[in-house]
Amino acid sequence: MSNRPWMDPREHRDHRNAGLAWCARIVRHGLLALIVVGTVAAAAVPLRAQTDDDPIVQLVAEPAELTMRVGDEVEVRITGVTRSGAQVDAPPVRLVGPFSAVRVREGVVTALAAGDYSLIATLVQDGDPPAGETVMVRVPVRIDWPAVARVVVTPLTNHSLLAGTTIRLGVRAEHADGSERPDPQVEWRSDTPGIATVDGFGRVTASAPGTATITATVDGVTGTATLSAAPFTATTLTITGGVSRARTGDVIDFGAEVRNEGGELLPRVPVEWSHAYEAAPGTMAPPATAQVHDGRFVADLPGLYSVVANAGPLAARTSFEIVSRDVVQQLEIHGQGREQRVRTTDFWVFEGVDERDYAVTGAKRSDGYGFVWDVTDPANIFKTDSVQVDARSVNDMKVSPDGRYATMTREGASDRRNGVVILDLADPAHPVIASEVTEYGLTGGVHNAFPTNDHVFALAGGDKYVILDVSDIYNPRYVGEYNHPDSRLHDVWVMDGLAYSAEWATGLVVVDVGDGRWGGSPENPVFVSSYPLPTGGTHAVFPYISESTGKHYVFVGDEIMTRRGLAWEGPGRGRGSYQLPYDAETGMHGIPLVTQGYIQIIDFSDPEDPEMVARYEVPEYGTHNIWVEDDVLYQAYYEGGVRMVDVSGELMGNLYTQGREIAVFKAFDPAGYVPNSPMAWSVMPFKGRIFFSDTNSGLWSARLVPRSRPIS
């Protein structure tokens, strides 16, 4: 390890590659049994020695294909066949499968989700094999769900069923172990259609008073609900609440009062809501304009709207105007700390004890370098130092709130002992290594960490987070850890004693690590709640208390590094530009990456019953890291650049289509790591400025220009 100003990583690459070749020889001769690969489930089977003069040219899997049910476990054995036809038992292979569908550990495959997939076993060889010479075998995997054991039918609301009204039923199809069948295919039937009918979506409409039994069938297993329909006695329906004028994105609350002939207010009467839109003159074929749900309305486009309420034969409507949100501001770019030799990753801006402002940045494939920048003058960003550790990449750099220390995470150490590095910021321009922690499961690699003043939450190989007491940064002390069952995680953020973790297919997981309401502490983390998200690529998380409403939101982001199956799949297949080194002669570094995914916004006001309320989805791009401050979402949106979004007021619907975007900047740098290829990685507001890192061009500073106002 060293602590010195930046030097070109090519000077150190030969030494690192020699170490990697040595590791490869260890693998080849059977001394290592586990290989972890990227973000997919991966494991290696036991190894035996091979002969160099008779290389393996084919792999054979037993069984050759798998048919499983969710929860089943099957051992897959891989045999090598040499050029002479000899068989090699348990050759050195990397066995992988889609992370969300299977778990692979020591050759044992566990089925996690139904569908058709493939396992791929690849022979581990010294260095990169020549094109076309990769030795691999593909194992088709068909996974079915377990048999349905029970079907439960329940109303989705507490409304009464009255003649002439409709309510909706929900279905839960359970397997024998109590787990739920996702998206069951349901057949609905009413035994008394003269009293109530049911459509293919569980919507029950009563036509006369009486009792009806509704049956739901899933895979031959039935469940029933018996409903009683009462007479409809209401005579008036009135819409309450609302406004005469609002902006796109504003959430408007409407209510409905249903009364009988005597003026008595009737509770629990089913009311169905809809809306109508009148576009501005000349507007043809407008897109989806708004949505209304249980009386809560939000518009995407300006225009004249009517909200309609229906209760049986009764109807009421009210009209209002929606105008443009009008929040666009100019973004001034002030400076750039250009970095074209490595991929810039996570960063953190802070005020040092010398009262100057600094940023620390990580880098992929940098031979273990992290960098220190002076950003006191945002128009003149310059490096003051670098810190090198034994690693392939320094992925994450963060600073404690008190500016006392920084965390530096690393992956790809030559001795395979990665862990987290603690930097002393007593001299912020020239940090020194205070300590390293590689025990407690941190050996395999730390992708992210989160520092508080007294504790560090460090991710251990994407499996759990380890909690360290860093009251003395030169002697960190293990105090606890949290490992969510059958889950892999990528990010953790701690606020007010709650740890929010982004756990890929599991979604959002929240744990009490000091809040205390659930009895948790750093020494005794206690699970609070979890929330599965639809994409299965939960990557980043940011909890936030709204300045304008006081609501507790959690912003959760996807990371999906492929566009496969979409109309625009993008350039590059297979290895992609992460694998291509700096080319000094051409200045080129491969091709741009392509992504998809979006920000999902969860109302966390009730920690034990969170609710998805909104999203921010920009077409054709994928999200990365998040920051929210002063009711502005600062979003690094990979190829979509860095984006500032108004998140004031209540949130509902898609913020992108509501005109909430304030500013967008895409870093087209002709001298970048990948020239003219924006790839925003992280963003952070600081002292009225906006700092962001672009993985292809370095560290940038900017400012939103205050909107000019007319002089009265």
Side-chain angles (χ1 to χ4, degrees), residues 249 251 296 298 325 546 549 551 553 555 601 613-615 646-653 655 658 660:
V251 177
R296 303 184 76 237
V298 65
R325 196 166 189 87
S546 170
T549 67
K551 280 184 172 290
Y553 291 115
F555 291 73
I601 304 169
V613 293
R615 72 184 190 276
D646 171 18
V647 292
S648 62
E650 289 194 54
L651 303 179
M652 177 178 170
L655 310 188
Q658 295 169 4
R660 285 180 172 267

Side-chain angles (χ1 to χ4, degrees), residues 454-456 467-472 475-479 523:
D454 297 319
H455 294 91
V456 170
I467 307 172
L468 305 171
D469 184 321
V470 289
S471 302
D472 179 357
N475 293 286
R477 183 171 58 87
Y478 169 92
V479 295
E523 294 76 17

Side-chain angles (χ1 to χ4, degrees), residues 340 343 577 587-592 669 671-678 696:
Q340 61 190 119
R343 284 191 178 274
S577 56
M588 298 295 290
H589 307 81
I591 57 177
D669 185 352
Y673 186 93
V674 178
N676 289 322
S677 176
N696 287 331

Side-chain angles (χ1 to χ4, degrees), residues 33 92 133 149 163 196 235 261 296 323 455 490 571 612 635 640-641 643 657 678:
E133 294 188 16
T235 57
E261 190 172 7
R296 303 184 76 237
V323 299
H455 294 91
H490 179 272
M612 176 84 72
Q635 181 61 54
R643 313 176 81 97
T657 55

Side-chain angles (χ1 to χ4, degrees), residues 7 14 45 104 114 202 269 276 292 302 315 393 458:
M7 295 184 68
D14 291 343
V45 296
V104 185
V269 176
V292 60
S393 296

Side-chain angles (χ1 to χ4, degrees), residues 18-34:
L20 293 177
W22 178 77
C23 291
R25 287 194 294 273
I26 293 177
V27 172
R28 182 170 181 176
H29 291 289
L31 301 179
L32 272 181
L34 181 64

